[in-house]
Amino acid sequence: MVDDQRFMRQALDLACQAARVGEVPVGAVLVQDGRVLAAAANQPIATHDPSAHAEIIALREAGQLLANYRLTGTTLYVTLEPCMMCAGAIIHARVERLLFAAADPKTGAAGSVCNLFSSAAANHRVRVDGGLLASESAELLRSFFRLRR
């Protein structure tokens, strides 16, 4: 879908911005009815906050904008498969759809390490799709970590 590509590219731009300031390059864009509600890049290092992942920041901003923690009817575009913390927040926010780019074989909670989204204990079902612009996102991450080593 054209919109999926456009919003994921926006998330990739945010991931690039994060990399430029030394943050792990992850970007997230939350959309409702074709409108961007919130967009964020990883910020745990700059904010000294382990929860300042791109997904969490975008969910917080959208919650404030809508004056509601329930973000029904939204799609979250993320450049990397969410971790357990982010997956839990996505479920509790009642996000309708998650679209991520690259899988995360070390901490991914949408199927790589575990799948919180398919857990019978989850109070909400999120439609999850992965792989859109995966190679671009994966290369950005590889390049970032190659420079760090």
Side-chain angles (χ1 to χ4, degrees):
M1 190 189 273
V2 174
D3 283 345
D4 286 345
Q5 291 263 342
R6 178 170 55 103
F7 294 128
M8 188 61 81
R9 289 213 177 277
Q10 186 176 348
L12 277 167
D13 288 345
L14 290 162
C16 288
Q17 290 174 26
R20 283 194 290 275
V21 297
E23 298 280 1
V24 173
V26 178
V29 176
L30 187 69
V31 175
Q32 185 179 58
D33 298 325
R35 180 182 123 207
V36 174
L37 296 178
N42 262 7
Q43 298 179 31
I45 296 168
T47 61
H48 311 290
D49 179 356
S51 70
H53 290 195
E55 301 95 307
I56 300 291
I57 296 167
L59 294 173
R60 284 179 181 154
E61 288 180 5
Q64 291 298 309
L65 177 71
L66 298 176
N68 194 340
Y69 76 95
R70 291 184 175 181
L71 305 173
T72 58
T74 59
T75 298
L76 182 62
Y77 298 85
V78 186
T79 58
L80 183 64
E81 179 182 359
C83 68
M84 286 188 258
M85 173 184 68
C86 292
I90 291 164
I91 291 165
H92 285 294
R94 308 324 194 263
V95 169
E96 182 177 317
R97 180 177 175 229
L98 166 68
L99 186 54
F100 67 88
D104 184 348
K106 292 184 179 179
T107 65
S112 290
V113 174
C114 65
N115 193 339
L116 291 184
F117 297 101
S118 67
S119 170
N123 64 335
H124 171 73
R125 296 286 172 249
V126 178
R127 195 170 94 231
V128 179
D129 297 300
L132 179 64
L133 303 180
S135 60
E136 291 177 45
S137 180
E139 182 52 39
L140 176 61
L141 286 155
R142 275 192 296 275
S143 296
F144 176 81
F145 286 112
R146 197 175 306 121
L147 292 172
R148 297 271 177 274
R149 293 184 179 118

